[in-house]
Amino acid sequence: MLAVFKKPPRIHGQIVPGRRPTGWAAIYFAAFVALPILGLTLGLDLIGWLVATKLFDASCYGVTCFFG
């Protein structure tokens, strides 16, 4: 590990607080990471459903169709 992470840095004798997650970080994560990934997977799932039901005329769609 780097020595920077072992003891807190000081500026003019004052200890600089460490990193911590904030509410804004959670909002940015949701907006720029989680929602785009969920949107992409939703679109791929919709394409898969359309292919299975319209192109192959399947009555069901999903893993449970293989066991039922």
Side-chain angles (χ1 to χ4, degrees):
M1 294 293 289
L2 296 173
V4 174
F5 297 113
K6 290 187 177 183
K7 61 181 184 177
R10 293 179 177 263
I11 296 178
H12 297 293
Q14 299 290 326
I15 295 177
V16 177
R19 296 180 185 165
R20 60 189 182 276
T22 62
W24 282 112
I27 291 170
Y28 273 78
F29 175 79
F32 295 110
V33 177
L35 290 177
I37 290 173
L38 286 174
L40 177 67
T41 56
L42 177 67
L44 291 173
D45 188 51
L46 182 61
I47 290 170
W49 177 79
L50 287 171
V51 167
T53 57
K54 304 298 180 190
L55 188 63
F56 295 122
D57 200 28
S59 61
C60 66
Y61 168 73
V63 176
T64 56
C65 295
F66 295 118
F67 302 110

